[in-house]
Amino acid sequence: MKMIFKYYGKYAHLIIAALVFLTGEALCELQLPSYMSGLISEGIGQSNMQVVMTYGWKMIALTVVACVCSVMVGYFASKVAARISRDLRSDIFNRVMSFANEEYNKFSVSSLITRSTNDITQIQMLTVIFLRMIMFAPIMGIGGTVKAIQHSSGISALAYVIIVAIAIVILLIIIALSVVQPRFIKMQKQVDAVNQIANDELNGMMVIRAFNTQEHEERRFDKANKDLTSTALFTSRMMAMLMPIMTVVMNGVMLAIVWLFAYKVEDIQQVSNMMAFMQYALQIIMSFMMISMIFIVLPRAVVSIKRVSEVLNTEISIKNADGRDDESGIRFKGDVKFENVSYSYGGGAPAIEGITFEAKSGEVTALIGSTGSGKSTVINLIPRLMDVSEGAVTIDGVNVKDINLKDLRNNIGFVPQKNTLFSGTVASNIGYGLDNASVDDLQQAARIAQAEEFINSSEEGYNREIAQGGTNVSGGQKQRLAIARALSKKAPIYVFDDSFSALDFKTDAKLRMALAEEMADATVIIVAQRVGTIKNADRIVVLDDGKIVGIGKHEELLRSCETYADIAKSQLSEEELGL
Ligand code: ADP
Ligand code: MG
């Protein structure tokens, strides 16, 4: 909650401007009934046209000033609100960008989207209403009371009328809020749910069609949609009920005032007082209604403020060590070392345990093991996509935690298991993350990645469009583009997480050969399923159930490591095995 004020502080000058105009508007409105009363008693009462005209002009002037002030208030209030939501949105986006897996898993993607759109809109709305009313209501309330007393013609019962009316207004608001507030919390969650399902279904469209589950998915969406609708309807109905009740209260007040004055009216003076008093009574009650308006918007916005703050206040677990804030542009030799490393997801049982091995520069180190054995977990620790739970990962003897994050990642060409292409062109994807990649660089990367052939086979070549998520290229083409993207960084360390699985054997072999030739000095770490892919690696690390069960070369492991021998036997012929 406190953090929100920081955002308002930045626009203090605009807020003050809004409040100044607001005060002006309130003072004008406050003066108008007095003039009207004067016009009736001194002008019409004395049949003095001169006085009528003077008061008339004064009233017109005041009205014009009030209008101008009102427009200015709207202008400044909207400006503040729009800027604050802009700042919030950009801060949320930046914060989410620096989230590590751990934080990311805490919120769902759809919730993050709702938080940076719908929730911020709520805050924006509150800001406008708040700035519109915050000063207005007290001035009208207090000023109106003072003025009303002046025009009460000494009828003390009038005070009770207003007090009773205000009490009813406050009571109504309390009742409405206590019923509606919990629903507002529910409502934001239901917006999340609708987004989540829509997101799921749009992404999984192909699967839904292939499995003929449209109806099931429609029902799922329908339910979430209806839940949201019924909550929204309930809250709107409750809020809508407030208005007619308020109108009844207002008219009751009018009636009571006329009735009380009726006993007293003897001359035009009292009639003019009655007219003015009515207006002031309305202003007083209106001021309470305005405050109630704030309370109508506030609960929903408070929920939103909390949800936005949650994102902004999330501690980022992976960040630069103290004093490592400046990028130094360092190039590593590239010796990667794991020392007794363990990692557990969400503090559960360790996914990998006691991992110790070395990947030297100029060598190819391979990781193999059944699915779920922890290969991806191991290599995600190198660019600090996650941080080790125990032990240390070092590059050239320096703990990765002590390296500036940008430096660290600039030194690693990484191909994740689940790779993503971005909408753009072939060239923009290969040169992704590079400020100024030359055509030669892109072509070299594409050549090593064996992507050149299919790039050149289309007419547009490097300018060929890539759809969002890379849906308009095949799985193997996507993998090769992702590999080219990593290679174009010309980093001393390359990590390929299961990046050759969608390639045919021939391309796989050609790619590895090109890698060995052109990246001879680099540290290459390959995660693979196929023994054939890694047979010639300088060092093979065999993983089983999160633990290393063997390190060595192909031939050694065939003899010494049962797990490796099993994998190899299932894939290679006796001849290839050399038995
Ligand atoms: P591999 O890459 O060898 O197939 P992973 O490293 O992806 O295996 O997974 C190792 C283990 O960690 C598996 O048991 C998997 O269920 C678990 N795991 C992987 N990712 C997560 C995650 N984000 N949250 C929780 N557990 C995970
Ligand atoms: Mg994996």
Side-chain angles (χ1 to χ4, degrees), residues 195-435:
N195 279 351
Q196 161 111 48
I197 293 173
N199 197 343
D200 241 23
E201 293 179 354
L202 292 175
N203 280 326
M205 198 59 99
M206 302 271 244
V207 180
I208 294 172
R209 291 215 188 105
F211 282 77
N212 258 333
T213 47
Q214 284 100 329
E215 271 167 37
H216 168 76
E217 294 299 333
E218 269 163 31
R219 273 199 301 277
R220 200 155 74 98
F221 185 80
D222 227 36
K223 185 176 177 314
N225 196 6
K226 275 187 184 140
D227 287 348
L228 173 61
T229 310
S230 72
T231 312
L233 274 179
F234 180 85
T235 52
S236 312
R237 281 189 189 127
M238 284 304 291
M239 289 307 175
M241 250 164 55
L242 280 181
M243 273 301 141
I245 298 178
M246 293 290 184
T247 313
V248 171
V249 173
M250 296 275 223
N251 285 318
V253 169
M254 297 290 111
L255 201 65
I257 292 171
V258 175
W259 190 55
L260 285 172
F261 264 98
Y263 292 101
K264 194 89 187 196
V265 170
E266 282 157 3
D267 56 17
I268 191 88
Q269 178 64 43
Q270 261 122 26
V271 174
S272 75
N273 268 345
M274 185 184 78
M275 299 289 277
F277 189 91
M278 271 185 174
Q279 301 240 349
Y280 285 122
L282 282 191
Q283 283 184 356
I284 296 168
I285 298 168
M286 274 296 259
S287 75
F288 277 88
M289 276 181 50
M290 280 181 191
I291 294 172
S292 77
M293 273 290 281
I294 294 179
F295 281 105
I296 290 174
V297 188
L298 197 63
R300 212 173 160 191
V302 166
V303 174
S304 293
I305 290 173
K306 277 200 192 121
R307 284 160 52 95
V308 167
S309 314
E310 248 170 49
V311 179
L312 292 175
N313 291 336
T314 300
E315 267 305 312
I316 289 170
S317 56
I318 297 194
K319 53 186 174 201
N320 285 324
D322 291 338
R324 290 274 170 183
D325 279 343
D326 301 317
E327 205 179 340
S328 63
I330 186 174
R331 293 309 269 185
F332 291 116
K333 184 163 157 271
D335 290 330
V336 179
K337 213 167 174 181
F338 278 72
E339 289 163 21
N340 202 15
V341 169
S342 303
Y343 182 84
S344 47
Y345 285 100
I352 53 167
E353 224 178 341
I355 303 292
T356 302
F357 72 92
E358 222 176 324
K360 291 211 179 79
S361 70
E363 294 188 353
V364 176
T365 304
L367 266 73
I368 195 166
S370 52
T371 45
S373 57
K375 305 179 297 288
S376 299
T377 309
V378 168
I379 56 152
N380 284 342
L381 296 171
I382 304 173
R384 285 188 77 195
L385 300 181
M386 313 171 317
D387 267 344
V388 297
S389 306
E390 269 171 59
V393 180
T394 63
I395 298 179
D396 294 353
V398 184
N399 193 322
V400 287
K401 287 187 183 176
D402 293 329
I403 302 170
N404 176 280
L405 271 177
K406 275 196 180 146
D407 280 332
L408 174 68
R409 290 167 184 173
N410 277 339
N411 275 282
I412 302 173
F414 194 82
V415 185
Q417 179 164 22
K418 184 174 171 286
N419 60 50
T420 316
L421 298 182
F422 295 98
S423 46
T425 62
V426 167
S428 76
N429 269 288
I430 296 180
Y432 184 74
L434 301 177
D435 293 331

Side-chain angles (χ1 to χ4, degrees), residues 28-76:
C28 289
E29 299 243 336
L30 211 50
Q31 192 53 42
L32 272 172
S34 275
Y35 282 168
M36 189 195 62
S37 154
L39 186 146
I40 295 173
S41 61
E42 294 164 36
I44 299 174
Q46 322 280 322
S47 300
N48 186 338
M49 199 53 197
Q50 192 66 39
V51 176
V52 171
M53 289 304 279
T54 325
Y55 273 115
W57 281 118
K58 275 187 189 168
M59 286 173 76
I60 290 174
L62 267 189
T63 311
V64 170
V65 173
C67 278
V68 171
C69 284
S70 178
V71 169
M72 295 309 280
V73 174
Y75 173 76
F76 284 113

